[in-house]
Amino acid sequence: MGVQRRRRLRAATALGAAGSLVAGLLAAQTVASPAVADAGFALTVDVSAARHRISPDIYGMNGGDPALLAELGMPVARWGGNTSSRYNFKNHTYNTGSDWYFENIVAGPENTLEAFVQRNRDLGIKQVVTVPLIGWVAKDSPREHPFACGFPATRFPEQDQFDPWDANCGNGRLNDTELTGADPTDTSIPADASFAGEMVSHLVDQFGRASRGGVSIYELDNEPVLWSHTHRDVHPEPVSYDELGGKGTATAAAIKTADPSAAVLGPSGWGYCEWIASGLDGCAPGEDAAAHGGLNLSQWYLKNMKDFSDANGGRRFLDYFDQHYYPQISGGTDPEANALRLRSTRSLWDPTYVEESWIGPGGVNAPPLQFIRTMKAWIAQYYPGTKTAITEYNWGALDHINGALAQADVLGIFGREGLDLATIWGEPKPADPGAYAFRMFRNYDGAGGRFGDVSVSAVSGDQGQLAVYAAQRSSDKALTVMVINKTGGDLAARVSVDGFHGRGKAQRFTYSAADLTSITRGDDLKVSRGGVRATYPANSITLLVLPKHRR
């Protein structure tokens, strides 16, 4: 048993990266206890208020270390990204697009779509699989250099860069300007909605329908408004409302025909500009929007799917409304960047938070995003009953305690705000602080202990200093309270709890800057007069577990 000696030499157990007990005894030191500031505000939990189910699918990833996924009991994984737009399941070939010289790459055995599905099925992880919508998929291509590529030197001899390992493949830019005039057939073959139907039928044949353990969710391509940049060798034209809407409904119908039990997710836009505008309009509703009732792209997309449903007997063709969310902040860890990272999580929910990036007054002057709430408002107006998803997001600095604090805050927000599905892009490594943020929700004790699955009301007098989230576990009715200290000093505060009859002690688990290699089991805390008082270390994530009193 690993033991740490802290004030008054009380024992504490350290829980490491694999959930095992850390061996070793740290020598006790007689030091004066540092002063602990009283937060000066309340943390209030009401178990009878704001109750709703937390979807387990908010804890998903796009990939990640298999051992970490297994440890966390990862609920959902996504097959997506830029390369999925032109993935050809028939020859296991994709195109890298602007990410790497527009090259066709034949996937190795471990990187095929089928391998992804099988690997995640074996771990009990549901899958989100992206199907091409762009109109082209990679043709049969060589497995080794020279590769087929979108901007070959034989046709475009002058370019800013060429692949250092394949001199014929360029980056499609000259004098830092995007080149045009590529021939799509250099790399690709046409593929319409029927190709997506064949792809789904192939997966059903191999793994069964979604209702019988097959692929659960199909995504309608990836960041389509960026096709004219990321895949400009085959799709140089900016995407319009009509193209996105027409291809989306046709492909959704093909998916539902091949597997009626599967869910469909889209449109998976890259960020703010794509949430509100087509490629034709740019970053604000323009002529394309005016020709479609003045609705922004997200509003019209939902309405178009609803209209298509109504025209087809009320059958649902869009199950999840999905957008990607990348806060427009730097990846730095200097004090200013760290402070901004922690503030910027408010853009997911806070109607008073003014964006501090180009999205705000200094740029396009968007109103407060309150993004999850805005998604839900659009859905309520234009396609009620549709779920919400964010299949790509990342607040950065996952290798730093600040990134872990932000990640824990984001997961708490996802649960409180009722998001239905989320998969982080750029997953943390098992030993990264960001991985511990996930552990605090999915394996805080090294034995599969989890944050609750029924969200309840939790309010902080200052969410910018001590953020608080609470949920009750259905399995044992225990109350779990997550408190994130975003400040550089220890803070003491009382959590007042209403509507819950707990036993006399609250378990305490903490991850902090003091030890980035483990979650520490602290001394149990006395629950008295309907609450519990605790000290939250600087830059820390603390979970309090209050067992339900059984009469």
Side-chain angles (χ1 to χ4, degrees):
M1 175 178 292
V3 179
Q4 295 179 353
R5 298 294 184 183
R6 293 187 175 175
R7 300 166 196 154
R8 299 186 184 176
L9 304 183
R10 292 178 178 175
T13 300
L15 303 168
S20 59
L21 297 180
V22 177
L25 184 66
L26 301 183
Q29 298 183 24
T30 303
V31 295
S33 298
V36 176
D38 189 276
F41 53 84
L43 305 178
T44 304
V45 173
D46 188 343
V47 178
S48 64
R51 293 178 66 91
H52 65 263
R53 175 181 175 272
I54 295 176
S55 169
D57 293 342
I58 64 172
Y59 303 112
M61 296 184 179
N62 274 268
D65 181 274
L68 178 63
L69 302 185
E71 177 198 340
L72 297 175
M74 188 57 50
V76 62
R78 171 178 175 258
W79 166 276
N82 290 335
T83 58
S84 65
S85 290
R86 286 154 73 182
Y87 183 83
N88 187 340
F89 75 95
K90 298 179 180 180
N91 58 18
H92 307 301
T93 304
Y94 59 90
N95 187 276
T96 58
S98 61
D99 291 344
W100 190 261
Y101 301 101
F102 301 89
E103 294 173 351
N104 277 10
I105 306 295
V106 180
E110 296 301 313
N111 295 316
T112 65
L113 172 57
E114 295 85 352
F116 166 85
V117 174
Q118 187 63 61
R119 184 166 55 248
N120 284 284
R121 275 169 53 94
D122 291 345
L123 292 172
I125 302 172
K126 74 167 65 173
Q127 308 96 46
V128 178
V129 168
T130 303
V131 297
L133 205 74
I134 192 171
W136 299 89
V137 294
K139 68 180 184 181
D140 292 344
S141 301
R143 292 180 175 271
E144 298 179 353
H145 297 293
F147 291 144
C149 50
F151 290 93
T154 51
R155 184 175 290 112
F156 301 92
E158 295 186 21
Q159 299 184 54
D160 289 344
Q161 294 180 18
F162 291 91
D163 183 349
W165 291 277
D166 198 324
N168 189 49
C169 296
N171 70 346
R173 302 181 71 88
L174 181 61
N175 299 324
D176 205 28
T177 299
E178 294 180 352
L179 295 173
T180 59
D183 183 350
T185 62
D186 282 345
T187 60
S188 305
I189 57 175
D192 59 14
S194 64
F195 179 89
E198 291 180 59
M199 182 174 172
V200 175
S201 294
H202 167 71
L203 294 174
V204 168
D205 289 343
Q206 187 156 346
F207 301 106
R209 290 186 172 188
S211 58
R212 294 183 176 273
V215 175
S216 299
I217 304 170
Y218 291 94
E219 181 172 354
L220 298 174
D221 214 298
N222 178 74
E223 300 180 349
V225 168
L226 291 184
W227 288 341
S228 57
H229 301 283
T230 54
H231 295 284
R232 61 184 180 273
D233 56 324
V234 298
H235 197 295
E237 309 84 5
V239 169
S240 67
Y241 279 56
D242 288 340
E243 181 185 8
L244 184 61
K247 286 183 173 179
T249 52
T251 303
I255 292 168
K256 294 285 189 176
T257 298
D259 186 354
S261 64
V264 172
L265 177 151
S268 309
W270 67 268
Y272 175 76
C273 294
E274 190 165 351
W275 304 337
I276 64 165
S278 68
L280 286 177
D281 280 347
C283 200
E287 292 183 3
D288 203 9
H292 294 83
L295 301 179
N296 71 36
L297 185 59
S298 290
Q299 294 167 335
W300 182 85
Y301 185 87
L302 288 162
K303 181 180 182 300
N304 184 61
M305 282 291 187
K306 174 67 163 56
D307 291 345
F308 188 73
S309 172
D310 292 344
N312 285 273
R315 184 181 184 189
R316 179 170 283 276
F317 291 93
L318 183 72
D319 299 277
Y320 291 84
F321 176 56
D322 172 51
Q323 298 288 11
H324 297 167
Y325 193 97
Y326 290 101
Q328 300 301 295
I329 59 178
S330 76
T333 54
D334 58 275
E336 183 177 351
N338 285 344
L340 176 57
R341 180 175 293 106
L342 295 179
R343 290 195 304 271
S344 68
T345 62
R346 294 168 57 193
S347 62
L348 291 169
W349 64 275
D350 190 346
T352 70
Y353 180 66
V354 178
E355 277 294 314
E356 301 175 66
S357 70
W358 61 268
I359 296 173
V364 297
N365 199 26
L369 296 180
Q370 47 182 327
F371 186 58
I372 297 174
R373 298 182 182 186
T374 298
M375 292 175 76
K376 288 178 174 287
W378 288 338
I379 287 169
Q381 185 169 359
Y382 297 105
Y383 200 176
T386 306
K387 297 178 181 180
T388 51
I390 299 176
T391 57
E392 288 188 22
Y393 74 93
N394 195 313
W395 256 258
L398 292 171
D399 58 352
H400 189 278
I401 184 62
N402 184 262
L405 300 180
Q407 182 61 45
D409 200 27
V410 167
L411 293 176
I413 292 167
F414 285 171
R416 186 193 65 196
E417 296 297 314
L419 190 71
D420 293 294
L421 185 149
T423 49
I424 188 173
W425 181 272
E427 310 77 21
K429 299 179 180 67
D432 281 347
Y436 283 94
F438 279 91
R439 288 187 179 100
M440 289 296 290
F441 285 86
R442 300 291 293 176
N443 188 27
Y444 60 81
D445 58 358
R450 294 181 179 175
F451 187 68
D453 57 328
V454 178
S455 181
V456 302
S457 174
V459 179
S460 170
D462 189 339
Q463 191 81 353
Q465 292 192 62
L466 291 179
V468 62
Y469 305 95
Q472 191 168 19
R473 276 201 302 250
S474 297
S475 59
D476 61 359
K477 306 304 179 183
L479 176 64
T480 58
V481 181
M482 195 77 71
V483 180
I484 304 166
N485 185 349
K486 300 179 180 181
T487 76
D490 294 358
L491 291 176
R494 174 179 168 82
V495 179
S496 299
V497 180
D498 294 326
F500 182 80
H501 300 288
R503 293 207 294 265
K505 297 286 186 177
Q507 298 174 348
R508 174 173 48 169
F509 300 84
T510 300
Y511 181 72
S512 75
D515 181 0
L516 297 179
T517 66
S518 64
I519 294 169
T520 298
R521 169 70 189 271
D523 297 324
D524 289 350
L525 301 170
K526 184 179 179 180
V527 180
S528 63
R529 300 191 305 277
V532 57
R533 185 172 178 83
T535 294
Y536 304 99
N539 297 309
S540 68
I541 310 164
T542 297
L543 178 67
L544 304 178
V545 182
L546 285 69
K548 177 75 172 179
H549 176 65
R550 300 184 185 279
R551 297 178 179 178

